[in-house]
Structures are given as structure tokens and as C-alpha cells.
Amino acid sequence: MTQHVMPPASAAPARSARALAVSRIREGSPHPLGATWTGVGVNFALFSAHATKVELCLFDDAGETELERIELPEYTDEVWHGFLPDARPGTVYGYRVHGPYEPENGHRFNPNKLVLDPFAKAVVGRIVWGPELFGYRLETEDDTTYDERDSAAHMMKGRVVDPAFTWGDVRPPKVPWDRTVIYEMHVRGFTKLHPELPEPMRGTFRGLGHPSVVEYLQKLGVTTVELLPIHTFVDDSYLLDKGLVNYWGYNTIAFFAPARRYAAVPDFAFAEFKEMVARLHDAGIEVILDVVYNHTAEGNERGPTLSFKGIDNASYYRLLPDQHRYYINDTGTGNTLNLSHQRVLQMVTDSLRYWVQEMQVDGFRFDLGTILAREPYGFDEGGGFLDSCRQDPVLESVKLIAEPWDCGPGGYQVGRFPPGWAEWNDQYRDVVRRFWKGDEGMLAPFGSRLTASGDIFNRRGRKPWASVNFVTAHDGFTLNDVVSYDDKHNEANGEDNRDGHNANYSWNHGAEGPTDDPEILTLRHRQKKNFLATLLLSQGTPMITAGDEFGRTQQGNNNAYCQDNEISWVNWSWSEDDTQLVHFVQRLTELRRNYAVLRRNRFFTGEWNEDIGVCDATWITPHGVVMGPEQWSDGNARCLGVVLDGRAQASGIRKRGSDATMLLIVNAHHDVVLFTLPQVTGGRAWLRLIDTNLDYTEDELDAVRLKFGHVYHVTGRSLLLFRLLRSRRQNPTPATKNAPRLDRVPAEHQPTEQPATRGTTQMADAPAGAEPPPGKATARPAPEDDEAPEAAPATESPDETPDDDGIGGVTPV
């Protein structure tokens, strides 16, 4: 092994007229870690298990001139610490850490490189790329060499903060999981083009807290905003060389500091973030942060020395067991944080608690969350990080959402996170896209995804909300592009369209990209409504991607991570169709809010409950009869209905529920399907609430009452929702004795597995494979079959009458 002798560090800077007097350094305390203002001075504490000396470097207010170097005097429990009574909030600082430079042993100490405090609450300046930032001589491309150039002029620095902030009477909304509607957004992209924001506020925390933005979110029905990374992150040099940036922000370097780039006044990013949270909380809207604790911006062995690498590389990162020079790369970004180390685990959990307690956020979405549960032997749902969260009194009280996959072996872990966690459900995304695209064999998986993917999540007492359902996210096509492009178009990223996913399960409906064809535009518009209705009417937790509610496009780019421009920014200029789509989403969130059966806190099973005489979910064919094995096994099926009985048991107490009963019908076939509306004991008719073939405005909800047995012409590629109108009679006549009862399904017709694996039902009112019934799609049923249409109020009462009569059964007419 080659031994490297560490040359002496660069000499301390000469004192200027502005230099501080010799500081009265005291021993200080090893905790808390970071730079902490006590009211009479600042305590500095830095973990490093393998360092031999740590120097605190103080800078002028701009972070440009180094004024003083002070050796931290004490070393306790692998923490270097000292107290400066003459330091105050606003003090700008960094560290130079001494120790062995032995890459073969995992050590990369180089005190010529100024390093950022991992616990810095605010930063000054930015990274200016140059060879000075690298611990080795960059021009040699040999990371075992040693570079003596000083990096201070190229580095961002930490700034001591005063955490004081007046929150007033505002408190976190604490939205229950079953009422949660997540809205994923980018702080800059969402507000950059907003016409009602003053120019200085656009693209900032302050802009996101502006009354016009908050009011829009409220009216849309959003309960929780999920912000793409706002921790301080680094723009990769290779992107800057191409005139691009790391727009999404998945390249963190400071886990406690809000990004200056999102502040109207960068030096006040800390306060502006708090103000934004306060304004959203005042409107009853939660704030969730997308956080990146799986890797850092320092890359692999040939990356720069910015913080962790120069503080204690062997502790902070997972290194190859037999080659400590190299990094384990389960993240696909060059390095992986070592959460198996207690001090690294402490840093992450301290960061999470800080954002909850000090910054008042309501939860987190963990990028590549499997990494956090990964131990040296692999994924462990009882691993250190997950156990830490489960027992922590602060973290157990907020929303925790995992992206349950990474690039390492055994990295795909959807459904494997422990109780208390929610998870992004990519199987929901893929199945729903493929269903509405018209792929074969999708109806049974679609049924499972519609009912919160119980085949994946119904274990260990987990609830339906554990499935975070999404059709689109920041990573991939927008909803408009899902229905407008067959292929990705990422040429603007400068990688010859090689980047981004190829399996998008998208469909352009006859023309690639923009078109003037009215038939294609009409179908695309209806498909967007189908996707949004499916998402917001499914059991589980829905997540909308910002702008999907009015057809935002990225021009076919499905990997816009580097596009800080009109490709990624939300365009607030809406067409008439866009406006109608917004009203439609408002209608959907209103329905979800008003009808608890659409957001149950208990998984549907499709089983008959003998104790209360109700079947919670009954799957029916277009004939209006219960689906049997033959229908479930039909791979060509593309249409079915499901009756969600609000009288089903709603909790662990064996009694009937008092929710509304709903009928949901989906038709992914290309033509009209005749669907017989089933009879439900105790009801008298169905009230149509949604038909995606119809357009809705604020004043037209188009609620129509339809008799049992009515044959509805379900438009090709459309979705319908009905609410059961209960009988007004105290003792309603039960269903005909000899008629087949859907609430008591004969054993031979009971599917043996959950919808995801039990097959599909028939496509139309005809044998599988036959031509669909003739006729033109109609917006309304035939007049002779209808009762008189009735306009519904803007908000229907979930229960028309308080009676709970009749056994909850569904009967074909």
C-alpha cells in the first residue's frame, strides 16, 4: 500500500485591519452539534472520529476574507468543541480538519480544503467550481494524490443563526391521513410565472406563501404540499458547463439549511421559509419536505471535498469492505451515506427533528428511502433508522413517506416498510396508466390499485393511507404528456435523449405532441379527467403533481431535472379546457372530502360480513351481476363496476357504518358499453355525480337521478360515479326473493384472490372478444328510461335521510 505523508496546511491568513481580536476560546460543550447561539456566545461542535485536529475559521460577513483560525480545544466522545463568547448570530465560519490522507484506508483529510459544517443552519455564498475544491490533484485524475491549493475562496460557508421567530397563534394543521390530498410541487417552478405575484417574489418561499397562491391551493382542495428538495444543494459542474442546473435539487450538501436560491432576500432564507410555513398553516395546509439523506453532493472518490469527505470520510460514507478507497453506490450518484454509523444516524434524525420543531414542517418524503433502511447486510425493516423514527416522540407525530426503492441489490421494497410509514406506490402509477391506455389483462390489477393495493399494504395493521397513489410525479411525464406522447423527448438535456425512463406506458392518442385535431383533443381531455378521477376516487392517499389539474406540459421531456426554464415552470395561462379541468378537480376533492366511503380507514375485502349483513365492496359486470371466475379470467376485459357500501363496518367495532353507498364504473374500452345499474336493498335510485364524458363548470354539477335497472350508455374510455339515494320508507320492500343477491355471492362465484391477482371481468355487454354494441356514445341516458333530472346542490349531503334500513345488498334487476 502506498503511504502518503500529509504536507503542512496552508499558513493562516495575515491579520487585516478588520481582523477579530484573539478570541477568548473556552472549552464549550460536545452537544448540540453545530454552531449554537446561547444568548451569550456561540458553541461550536463537530464530530470526527479520525481527525487529529480541527480549526474553526471565521470570515467576514460576505464570506470572502478569512479573518481568524481557532483550534477547537476539546475532544469529547469523538466530538471536537469550543465556545466563543465574542461570536454572535451572523458569524460566518467553516472548518479545516487535520488527519491522515490515506485513500486506501478510507481517510481523505486535507486541511487545505475548507469544509462546511454538516449542521450549518444557514449558508453564505455558493460553490465556485475549480480544481481547488478537490482533495487530490484534479489534473492527474488520480485520487490518491494530494492537493495543497486552498479552497476557501471557492466554498460556501456556514452562518450562525438566531432561531427566534414569532409564530403567533398558528399551529400545524395535523390533517388526518384519510383526509390528506398531497400536491407535489417545486417552489421555484410553481411560482416563477404566477401573474399575481410581484416579480421579486416569483420563484421564492415568499411567493409560495402569497395570499393568491394559498387561496388557489385551498380552492383546489389540497391539504398538503410536498416540496421538492429545499435543503441547500449544489449545481453539478458538468451541468453548469452545458448551461444547465440541478433544478430538482437532489444533490444536498447541507441538511439543516434552506436553499438561498429560493429566498427573495437570500440572506433571510431561514426566516422566509418560516413565514411561508406560517401562511400555509394558517390556511390549514400542511408542508412536507422531499429530503435526500441517501447521498451527498460530494460524489465518489473523484468528487470534490466540500464537507463530509474532509471531516471524516470513513465514518460518513459506506465504503467497499475490502477496498476502502471506493464507495458503495446504492444510490446511483457516486456515494451512499452510512446510516449504520451512530453519529451519521444522529445527524439525520437531528435534522428531521430540527425541521419539525424549529421550522414547523409536517412530514417528509424520503428520496430513495430503501437506503435509510439498508444495513451492511441489506434492507431491514427493523433497521436502525426506521426503529429510530418509530420510537421518536417528535418524528412519530408527523407524516413519513418512503420512496421504497434504490439502485442497490434488493432495492425494491414497496410494501415492506413498517407500520406508521406511507409509501409511494409505483405499481399504482403503472397499472392505472396501462389500464386507461387499453392494455390487455389490466382490469384485475386495476381493481386492486383502486382499493389501496391491499395485496401489498394490508399487513401488520397498516391502513389504506399507507399507499400513496400517483399517476405522475416530478420524475416522468406530466399528465398532459402521458396522453400526448408515445416517446420521451429529452433533447434539451444534452444527452441525445438517452436519459429518462423508456417505459412510460403513455399514449399520444393519434398524434405525437401538440395537435389541432378536435377528436384527438377531446379524447385527451377525457383521458386526463379519467386519470384524475381515478386518482381522487381511489382508496389510499392521492398525490397530484402541480399543474396536472390544468394540463401543464413539459413538451415531452420526462426527465426535466436540469431545466430551470419554461419546460419546468408552471404556466398559468389556461385554455377553456384547462379551466374546466381545474373545476373538475375541485369537484373531485369536494366529493372525496364529503364522502368518507371514498377514503376509508379500513381496507375493502369484498367479503360478506355475517355479523352486520353487508358486503363492503361488490364487483359487478356490465350486466349488473356479480363477477365470477369466468369473468375475472377474461384477459380482454376493460369495463367493470364496484359498489362501495357505506353501511359496511368502518372500524374494529362490529356495527354498521353510516356512510353513503357509491357505485363506480370504469370503461377503458374504445366504444360504448351498456351497463345495467344494480339494485341495492334500502335504496331507491342512483344519483349520478360524475361522468367524465361531460364537462363541468362551477355552476353545473349535472347530478341526475336514475332508476335501478337502467341501462346506461357508458362512453368509451370514461368513468362514472353514482351515489345511492336511500329509501324514504321505514320498512322498504326487500329485493325479490328469487333474484340473485350480489351481497350474498355463491361460493363458486367468489374470487379466490384479491383483485390484483384474480383475473378480470367482461369488457362489454357481449361475450369476450365480440364487437362492442352498436351505437353512439351519449352524454345522457335515453329519456324514456330516466326519472326527471334533478340538479344537485354544490355540496350534497352524504346521507339523504338518517335511516339505515334494509340489509346492505346489491341485486341485479
Side-chain angles (χ1 to χ4, degrees):
M1 182 188 338
T2 303
Q3 296 294 325
H4 298 278
V5 179
M6 185 187 70
S10 304
R15 299 295 180 93
S16 69
R18 298 183 58 194
L20 297 177
V22 176
S23 299
R24 293 178 287 108
I25 186 72
R26 299 177 185 172
E27 294 83 354
S29 172
H31 54 79
L33 292 169
T36 306
W37 165 242
T38 68
V40 293
V42 177
N43 190 81
F44 294 89
L46 180 74
F47 158 75
S48 180
H50 299 97
T52 57
K53 183 173 72 171
V54 174
E55 292 178 303
L56 172 67
C57 302
L58 303 179
F59 290 81
D60 64 1
D61 290 344
E64 297 174 354
T65 303
E66 188 174 345
L67 304 177
E68 186 177 10
R69 291 188 194 177
I70 307 165
E71 183 177 344
L72 294 183
E74 285 293 337
Y75 185 56
T76 305
D77 296 334
E78 298 183 333
V79 175
W80 300 83
H81 56 93
F83 181 81
L84 290 181
D86 53 359
R88 294 289 183 271
T91 297
V92 179
Y93 72 102
Y95 292 109
R96 297 182 186 274
V97 184
H98 298 251
Y101 189 83
E102 299 170 355
E104 293 89 346
N105 294 323
H107 301 310
R108 295 179 179 272
F109 294 99
N110 187 337
N112 297 293
K113 311 303 169 183
L114 187 81
V115 291
L116 183 67
D117 180 5
F119 282 72
K121 307 301 191 301
V123 298
V124 174
R126 60 186 179 87
I127 296 293
V128 179
W129 287 102
E132 295 85 354
L133 290 172
F134 294 79
Y136 67 97
R137 293 195 295 274
L138 184 63
E139 56 273 14
T140 68
E141 299 185 359
D142 180 0
D143 64 285
T144 65
T145 60
Y146 185 89
D147 189 85
E148 299 182 32
R149 287 169 285 195
D150 194 293
S151 69
H154 296 259
M155 268 297 298
M156 57 178 61
K157 289 86 177 175
R159 187 193 292 276
V160 179
V161 302
D162 181 350
F165 183 84
T166 302
W167 289 97
D169 295 330
V170 175
R171 294 290 181 270
K174 298 292 183 182
V175 178
W177 264 114
D178 66 296
R179 291 180 174 270
T180 300
V181 177
I182 298 174
Y183 192 75
E184 189 198 36
M185 64 160 66
H186 189 284
V187 171
R188 178 170 170 82
F190 191 70
T191 59
K192 182 62 179 175
L193 300 178
H194 199 291
E196 296 184 32
L197 297 184
E199 186 62 36
M201 285 191 183
R202 297 185 181 186
T204 69
F205 297 130
R206 187 168 292 175
L208 188 53
H210 190 274
S212 61
V213 175
V214 174
E215 182 182 13
Y216 172 78
L217 295 172
Q218 282 183 302
K219 288 183 176 180
L220 191 62
V222 168
T223 70
T224 307
V225 295
E226 180 177 306
L227 307 182
L228 266 66
I230 57 84
H231 290 170
T232 296
F233 60 92
V234 174
D235 289 313
D236 312 81
S237 59
Y238 78 91
L239 290 176
L240 295 176
D241 291 342
K242 294 191 294 184
L244 303 171
V245 297
N246 192 321
Y247 173 72
W248 285 349
Y250 292 92
N251 204 26
T252 306
I253 196 60
F255 296 112
F256 292 76
R260 290 165 54 89
R261 67 185 73 195
Y262 299 142
V265 181
D267 285 343
F268 291 91
F270 177 83
E272 287 190 21
F273 180 88
K274 287 187 172 184
E275 181 182 351
M276 174 200 71
V277 172
R279 291 184 180 275
L280 288 167
H281 280 183
D282 190 48
I285 298 173
E286 295 179 312
V287 178
I288 286 179
L289 301 185
D290 193 337
V291 288
V292 190
Y293 295 110
N294 56 78
H295 75 281
T296 78
E298 292 185 300
N300 60 17
E301 66 277 359
R302 295 176 63 181
T305 297
L306 307 176
S307 181
F308 314 92
K309 186 178 290 185
I311 294 172
D312 194 345
N313 184 68
S315 294
Y316 276 106
Y317 294 115
R318 293 194 187 275
L319 307 178
L320 290 178
D322 54 348
Q323 291 181 294
H324 293 167
R325 174 183 170 186
Y326 301 106
Y327 297 79
I328 292 174
N329 186 21
D330 289 335
T331 64
T333 63
N335 65 56
T336 304
L337 272 178
N338 180 20
L339 267 75
S340 297
H341 192 288
Q342 61 180 357
R343 287 295 189 181
V344 183
L345 177 60
Q346 177 190 359
M347 177 189 70
V348 172
T349 52
D350 280 358
S351 171
L352 293 170
R353 282 189 292 267
Y354 174 80
W355 286 96
V356 173
Q357 294 177 302
E358 183 60 44
M359 309 298 268
Q360 297 287 297
V361 305
D362 305 282
F364 306 93
R365 179 267 187 188
F366 294 87
D367 179 61
L368 301 184
T370 301
I371 290 291
L372 306 178
R374 190 180 287 279
E375 300 294 345
Y377 49 83
F379 177 85
D380 184 353
E381 61 182 283
F385 174 77
L386 297 183
D387 282 349
S388 295
C389 292
R390 192 181 309 180
Q391 59 79 40
D392 191 287
V394 173
L395 300 183
E396 72 163 358
S397 67
V398 299
K399 291 183 167 71
L400 302 176
I401 304 171
E403 181 186 39
W405 50 79
D406 65 23
C407 299
Y412 188 78
Q413 296 292 338
V414 175
R416 291 286 309 282
F417 276 70
W421 282 76
E423 302 174 40
W424 270 26
N425 187 356
D426 64 327
Q427 294 188 39
Y428 181 96
R429 174 198 63 200
D430 294 348
V431 167
V432 170
R433 286 191 186 188
R434 294 185 65 189
F435 172 77
W436 286 114
K437 181 172 174 280
D439 288 357
E440 293 184 3
M442 284 293 106
L443 200 59
F446 181 83
S448 182
R449 304 303 156 243
L450 198 69
T451 51
S453 299
D455 55 324
I456 300 174
F457 295 101
N458 192 5
R459 53 187 287 270
R460 301 185 66 186
R462 301 182 76 181
K463 299 297 185 181
W465 55 257
S467 175
V468 175
N469 303 327
F470 63 102
V471 175
T472 67
H474 67 275
D475 185 5
F477 280 144
T478 66
L479 181 58
N480 180 82
D481 293 356
V482 167
V483 302
S484 302
Y485 293 90
D486 281 352
D487 303 300
K488 65 185 181 183
H489 295 270
N490 298 351
E491 290 80 7
N493 295 354
E495 299 180 40
D496 297 324
N497 205 34
R498 293 190 300 268
D499 62 307
H501 297 294
N502 292 317
N504 296 293
Y505 304 119
S506 60
W507 176 32
N508 66 20
H509 295 83
E512 188 74 354
T515 181
D516 294 328
D517 188 312
E519 291 187 8
I520 293 176
L521 291 175
T522 296
L523 182 53
R524 286 179 179 178
H525 182 63
R526 187 162 70 249
Q527 287 282 61
K528 284 185 276 190
K529 293 169 68 176
N530 290 336
F531 279 118
L532 290 165
T534 301
L535 177 64
L536 286 163
L537 299 178
S538 292
Q539 303 294 309
T541 304
M543 184 185 80
I544 305 168
T545 302
D548 276 355
E549 74 275 16
F550 48 81
R552 182 178 77 89
T553 179
Q554 290 182 170
Q555 303 166 32
N557 191 320
N558 76 347
N559 189 33
Y561 76 102
C562 55
Q563 300 296 330
D564 186 9
N565 51 47
E566 287 81 359
I567 290 177
S568 295
W569 299 341
V570 171
N571 188 340
W572 294 89
S573 299
W574 299 347
S575 67
E576 182 178 345
D577 280 351
D578 296 339
T579 302
Q580 288 178 347
L581 200 59
V582 171
H583 293 322
F584 182 66
V585 173
Q586 290 174 320
R587 171 68 167 158
L588 292 169
T589 57
E590 179 186 50
L591 289 170
R592 186 178 182 88
R593 182 169 61 251
N594 288 343
Y595 296 114
V597 73
L598 299 176
R599 47 178 175 79
R600 272 174 42 113
N601 210 25
R602 188 179 181 90
F603 283 98
F604 284 108
T605 65
E607 298 174 356
W608 173 256
N609 188 320
E610 291 288 350
D611 292 338
I612 62 175
V614 172
C615 182
D616 57 6
T618 305
W619 302 90
I620 56 178
T621 72
H623 290 292
V625 298
V626 176
M627 294 174 64
E630 181 180 352
Q631 290 82 24
W632 280 114
S633 62
D634 183 357
N636 293 318
R638 289 176 174 83
C639 181
L640 92 166
V642 59
V643 175
L644 307 177
D645 201 316
R647 292 164 291 192
Q649 185 175 329
S651 70
I653 299 174
R654 292 183 177 86
K655 69 174 185 178
R656 284 196 182 186
S658 57
D659 300 334
T661 293
M662 297 289 189
L663 167 63
L664 181 67
I665 298 172
V666 292
N667 176 25
H669 186 50
H670 69 271
D671 208 340
V672 175
V673 169
L674 306 183
F675 205 106
T676 301
L677 302 184
Q679 176 178 334
V680 175
T681 305
R684 57 190 173 89
W686 291 106
L687 184 71
R688 186 181 68 198
L689 303 178
I690 293 290
D691 182 341
T692 58
N693 188 49
L694 305 176
D695 283 326
Y696 296 86
T697 67
E698 289 182 290
D699 301 320
E700 296 178 6
L701 300 180
D702 201 70
V704 174
R705 189 185 301 148
L706 301 169
K707 295 177 180 179
F708 294 149
H710 171 79
V711 178
Y712 198 104
H713 288 227
V714 181
T715 305
R717 299 192 174 93
S718 65
L719 175 150
L720 297 98
L721 180 70
F722 299 86
R723 176 170 68 86
L724 181 69
L725 296 177
R726 293 186 179 181
S727 173
R728 293 192 178 97
R729 289 176 293 181
Q730 294 298 317
N731 296 297
T733 303
T736 304
K737 182 176 181 181
N738 295 326
R741 290 268 302 276
L742 298 192
D743 55 352
R744 295 203 179 235
V745 185
E748 63 270 20
H749 290 297
Q750 284 280 14
T752 59
E753 301 180 47
Q754 292 296 317
T757 56
R758 64 187 183 188
T760 53
T761 189
Q762 58 192 40
M763 175 177 63
D765 195 19
E771 288 297 316
K776 184 178 179 181
T778 56
R780 296 180 180 275
E784 60 271 19
D785 291 335
D786 290 349
E787 294 189 33
E790 236 180 52
T795 303
E796 293 108 6
S797 170
D799 297 305
E800 186 169 283
T801 58
D803 62 288
D804 186 24
D805 43 20
I807 293 175
V810 183
T811 307
V813 176

